[in-house]
Amino acid sequence: MKVLFVYPRFARHAESHPELLTFVPMKEYLGSPSLAIAALVGCTPENVEIEYRDDRLANAAVPTDADLVALTFFTAAASRGLELADYFRSLGKKVVAGGIFPTMMPDEVQPHVDSVVVGEGEPVWEQVLADAAAGTLRPRYAPAPADVCTLKPPKLDVYFQAERGDFKPDDYPLQVSRGCPLRCDACALPTVMGKSARALPLDYILNVAAQITAGGRQACLTEDTGWLPGTAGARRLTELLEYLHAHGNPLRVSYIGISMPMILAAPARAFELARAAGVELFYLVGGFDPVTTRAFTGKDPRAYQRAVDAIKKSFDHGIEPYTSFLLGNDDDDEGTVDRMLDFANVSGIKKAEFAVFTPYPGTPAWTRLLAEDRILTREWRYYNDANVVFRPKQMTVEALHEGYIRLWREFYAARPESALRSEAERTIQF
Ligand code: SF4
């Protein structure tokens, strides 16, 4: 039996708006795929042949001799994912889809595929393969959340072998835990991964870390859940950082995800440990939490001051905050753009990205805006943080779009030194 895994392409900021390439004095960076396919490869039996196509690098819609095509995609890639599903089925192939979008919108995906996997794929993957081989593929698999203690580690080789030319990502994702007990308005993670934090075993994490190191890459810890006080994820992140420090930092970490309330709540020793473990960059996610949803509204000076304090605390500990601003929350108005730019100047942020608020399926925002009849399109290719897909509350669609473009343009116009940074530092995904 042979399986073809496909990672469908999606438009990023600069593909949606090519003028951004003239504003941002940095090299555009195409990042690694999500861990999903490597995770399934990790639990694919040895006797199953594997092929992998990254549709971002080359059109995946070409014939295959595989018996089963497995697609995994999030919302931004859903339009393309469904196109690819239709294509492979037109060739008579069996198609199974999983990942964030199929988990959140299985009924939308079902007509395009033979089978949808709702939730984490690993617990049911061997069953899917056996059913496909027997010709008894079920239309839907909805396994219980994975028992993280028995998970097989992902096999990153499948990605390393697909690198080519100038596609050689600096870093690959390293997961520390799954799930989150919070319920941020614009985040789908708790719905996709569950509402309790499940820490992955340290052996599992170190296995992935060793693969990343052997591949000569860095690890990016994209999720912010490692900083939620009192959770299993936070304990495991501490354990990992302690391990790295105690062993001479065998793994290079490109960045760790975090939010402003988490920076403010973290004890100084947590950041000292992160620095000792070689962490120099936070990916500071904004627009989801009570500080950044209020700080730039002009109505909450305390939230603004807390935001300033969070950036200062990060710099004070020697960790640069690569800050992600989200424009279009219901409390944002047209003045929010100037307030964000002023804040970035006052707080000394050197590197930032800007996103349009996007109500992804599976988020509380999606449910709310759907009920308020404010969703403007279900064309999923536009759900990529770079397009306005809903009716904003305090500004027009056009003003939100213009504000987003202006943030990119004016932030980097004020920082020409960004162009002088070393090649390694100048990469950014946009
Ligand atoms: S943004 Fe972070 S803290 Fe909020 S729900 Fe998502 S994972 Fe949890």
Side-chain angles (χ1 to χ4, degrees), residues 101-148:
F101 187 82
T103 293
M104 293 298 103
M105 303 291 272
D107 294 340
E108 180 119 358
V109 174
Q110 194 83 61
H112 300 267
V113 301
D114 297 284
S115 186
V116 181
V117 176
V118 174
E120 292 165 296
E122 296 109 315
V124 81
W125 183 238
E126 288 195 52
Q127 184 65 52
V128 170
L129 292 175
D131 290 352
T136 57
L137 209 49
R138 285 183 244 151
R140 196 161 298 182
Y141 295 83
D147 173 1
V148 290

Side-chain angles (χ1 to χ4, degrees), residues 105-271:
M105 303 291 272
D107 294 340
E108 180 119 358
V109 174
Q110 194 83 61
H112 300 267
V113 301
D114 297 284
S115 186
V116 181
V117 176
V118 174
E120 292 165 296
E122 296 109 315
V124 81
W125 183 238
E126 288 195 52
Q127 184 65 52
V128 170
L129 292 175
D131 290 352
T136 57
L137 209 49
R138 285 183 244 151
R140 196 161 298 182
Y141 295 83
D147 173 1
V148 290
C149 294
T150 59
L151 274 182
K152 294 177 183 162
K155 288 188 176 164
L156 293 178
D157 255 2
V158 68
Y159 296 151
F160 295 157
Q161 286 163 9
E163 291 181 352
R164 61 183 75 176
D166 60 359
F167 176 66
K168 217 170 166 38
D170 301 342
D171 52 14
Y172 279 84
L174 178 65
Q175 227 174 16
V176 171
S177 63
R178 294 184 179 182
C180 178
L182 299 193
R183 195 170 181 273
C184 298
D185 192 41
C187 182
L189 190 141
T191 321
V192 176
M193 294 274 185
K195 293 178 177 32
S196 67
R198 290 165 292 146
L200 290 154
L202 189 61
D203 283 353
Y204 174 105
I205 298 168
L206 294 178
N207 178 302
V208 182
Q211 293 182 52
I212 291 172
T213 300
R217 305 306 148 72
Q218 303 177 69
C220 51
L221 282 67
T222 54
E223 288 148 18
D224 58 6
T225 44
W227 300 101
L228 280 172
T231 62
R235 285 191 291 277
R236 188 67 86 236
L237 176 61
T238 301
E239 208 179 334
L240 172 65
L241 295 174
E242 283 171 349
Y243 177 94
L244 295 177
H245 178 45
H247 290 79
N249 296 341
L251 174 75
R252 288 187 303 139
V253 176
S254 56
Y255 64 82
I256 302 184
I258 198 165
S259 69
M260 287 196 187
M262 292 170 184
I263 290 179
L264 293 167
R269 68 177 182 284
F271 289 171

